[in-house]
Amino acid sequence: MTSRALDGVTVLDLSQVYNGPYCTLLLAQLGAEIIKVEPFGGEPVRWRLAGDQETAAFGLLNGGKKSLRLNLKDPRGRALLLELVAQADVVVENFSPGALQRLGLGYDTLAEANSRIILASGRGYGAHTPQAEQRAMDLTIQAVSGVMATTGQPELPPTKAGPAVADFFGGTHLFGAILAALFQRTVTGRGQHVEVAMQDAVIPSLTSSIAGHLDNDGALPERTGNRHGGMAVSPYNVYPAADGWVAILCMTDTHWQTLCRLMERDDLAAAPELASPPGRVAQMEKLDEIVGGWTAGRSRDLIVADLQAAGVPCAPVLSLADVLAGPMVGEDSMIRPVTTADGRPGYVFGSPLNLTDSAPVASRGAPALGADTDQVLAERLDLTPEQLRRLQDENVI
């Protein structure tokens, strides 16, 4: 019989948008049963499109979960949730600050129902920061954490990072906190409340920029475009090819010497002022012009093939269309084809986690809103068909 790392773990997923749903997707891919608890209208990302078509974003992040429609503003809905908490291992939420408490479902209440429960909360800001009670989204966290200040070209305004880095860094760290709490529970027998703030989770990704600022007494530009965030490596940029763009960097002196050989520039390889990283950084503009001149007359694929064969770090700059037409899409890849709940072709994210002793979870599409309500409540709480019909008629489920 195949086994998975989180077989037998039950998660009640009250989360929404990107942060929490990615956390619970990672848990699902390790074998946990995820019961997605949604309000009557469904979580916000379901219906961003016009009409009744569910979004691709919802499908990508919610594959393999069960959907339970539940009115938590009704006392009977809250009572049903607490009965489910009594049988669960983890509750995940990323509501605005204080929302869970206002519903009467704070950690103390959940722990009364089940002392082993782990409440995992995705937050915008740390509990001890001045903004702790403020609402937050990925954009606002990028703004206050330094991500926007360090993204873009020096002469242009601050720019948000293209990916939703704060949401997904926060969700990934919350996933790690849940695993730690599950492990600690094996020793203590008790659950606990774990929190991860997106602001805290994204700050370490600014290591190059923060270090460059500290090492140079604040003299470096905050925004360095495609150059190294700490302006400590050169060449390090995106260079033009005859048919696209190529990212090239020389982290070591060996990389630099190898690039010089490929460019047939023995003079640069022999130049003592370019023999170390600080020397090359001091002539960054000149080196970028030289490397760009070499790449401009060659095809992107040829440049990448030659540099990779020689051991110089590089990659082609791919468009989203290139990515979606390439090896990242497939049955065992990071973007996996599935059939949606209404029978259309769709996609769900695969798992970046590969465990040799944990069987992979088969990819399944995201559930339709409330699709599993009757099954979950009948199997877990022994509700009869008559009781379920009454709760439906009274807008509890």
Side-chain angles (χ1 to χ4, degrees):
M1 181 178 179
T2 58
S3 64
R4 300 184 178 98
L6 297 181
D7 277 346
V9 172
T10 299
V11 179
L12 300 177
D13 181 8
L14 278 61
S15 69
Q16 54 193 335
V17 192
Y18 293 166
N19 176 291
Y22 184 60
C23 168
T24 56
L25 179 66
L26 291 171
L27 295 169
Q29 290 167 337
L30 291 181
E33 180 180 16
I34 311 298
I35 301 172
K36 188 173 180 67
V37 181
E38 297 188 71
F40 272 40
E43 73 130 296
V45 170
R46 267 194 189 268
W47 309 119
R48 282 180 174 171
L49 298 178
D52 58 358
Q53 182 178 337
E54 293 182 354
T55 65
F58 182 83
L60 286 166
L61 292 171
N62 290 284
K65 303 177 185 178
K66 295 180 177 179
S67 175
L68 168 65
R69 195 175 72 163
L70 192 59
N71 183 2
L72 294 179
K73 294 182 179 180
D74 187 300
R76 293 166 296 178
R78 292 194 294 274
L80 289 172
L81 182 73
L82 289 173
E83 288 188 59
L84 292 172
V85 167
Q87 303 177 17
D89 297 284
V90 183
V91 174
V92 178
E93 60 92 16
N94 61 337
F95 294 138
S96 59
L100 204 64
Q101 288 78 3
R102 289 191 293 274
L103 286 170
L105 294 169
Y107 174 68
D108 289 345
T109 302
L110 301 184
E112 285 180 12
N114 180 357
S115 64
R116 291 173 56 81
I117 199 70
I118 294 162
L119 173 60
S121 298
R123 294 284 175 256
Y125 306 101
H128 303 294
T129 65
Q131 308 102 320
E133 298 305 315
Q134 295 180 14
R135 292 173 178 265
M137 297 295 286
D138 184 90
L139 180 65
T140 63
I141 297 301
Q142 288 200 34
V144 302
S145 65
V147 172
M148 288 181 68
T150 56
T151 303
Q153 299 297 332
E155 68 278 6
L156 296 176
T159 304
K160 82 173 187 68
V165 292
D167 271 329
F168 286 91
F169 284 17
T172 304
H173 282 72
L174 191 61
F175 164 77
I178 291 169
L179 296 186
L182 285 170
F183 180 80
Q184 188 170 14
R185 193 179 69 177
T186 65
V187 178
T188 66
R190 300 188 307 275
Q192 60 183 296
H193 187 189
V194 300
E195 291 188 333
V196 170
M198 292 191 290
Q199 185 178 30
D200 293 343
V202 80
I203 286 289
S205 70
L206 294 164
T207 294
S208 291
S209 298
I210 292 172
H213 181 86
L214 295 174
D215 290 341
N216 294 275
D217 296 323
L220 295 183
E222 288 188 311
R223 290 182 294 287
T224 60
N226 291 319
R227 289 173 169 164
H228 186 258
M231 299 290 272
V233 181
S234 179
Y236 185 114
N237 214 325
V238 172
Y239 301 95
D243 55 355
W245 299 86
V246 180
I248 302 173
L249 62 150
C250 293
M251 290 296 295
T252 69
D253 295 338
T254 299
H255 293 151
W256 166 243
Q257 293 293 324
T258 303
L259 178 60
C260 289
R261 177 174 56 79
L262 291 173
M263 295 191 300
E264 298 181 345
R265 292 296 302 265
D266 292 341
D267 58 318
L268 298 177
E273 69 273 17
L274 300 176
S276 66
R280 293 192 291 275
V281 168
Q283 299 198 45
M284 185 180 292
E285 295 285 350
K286 172 185 174 181
L287 295 187
D288 278 346
E289 183 177 344
I290 291 171
V291 176
W294 175 71
T295 60
R298 292 165 172 76
S299 74
R300 186 184 71 179
D301 291 347
L302 179 61
I303 296 167
V304 170
D306 287 346
L307 290 173
Q308 288 183 346
V312 177
C314 68
V317 177
L318 300 182
S319 67
L320 286 176
D322 292 333
V323 172
L324 292 173
M328 294 303 290
V329 178
E331 296 295 337
D332 297 317
S333 301
M334 270 305 298
I335 304 174
R336 301 182 178 184
V338 293
T339 301
T340 65
D342 59 3
R344 294 180 296 109
Y347 296 93
V348 64
F349 285 129
S351 176
L353 309 171
N354 296 288
L355 287 68
T356 57
D357 287 343
S358 182
V361 174
S363 298
R364 293 187 288 126
L369 176 59
D372 306 288
T373 301
D374 287 359
Q375 177 195 355
V376 169
L377 297 180
E379 290 182 355
R380 291 183 170 271
L381 305 185
D382 295 324
L383 268 61
T384 66
E386 181 181 347
Q387 289 173 311
L388 292 170
R389 280 194 299 273
R390 185 181 306 116
L391 291 170
Q392 290 167 0
D393 292 342
E394 296 174 356
N395 293 321
V396 178
I397 61 175

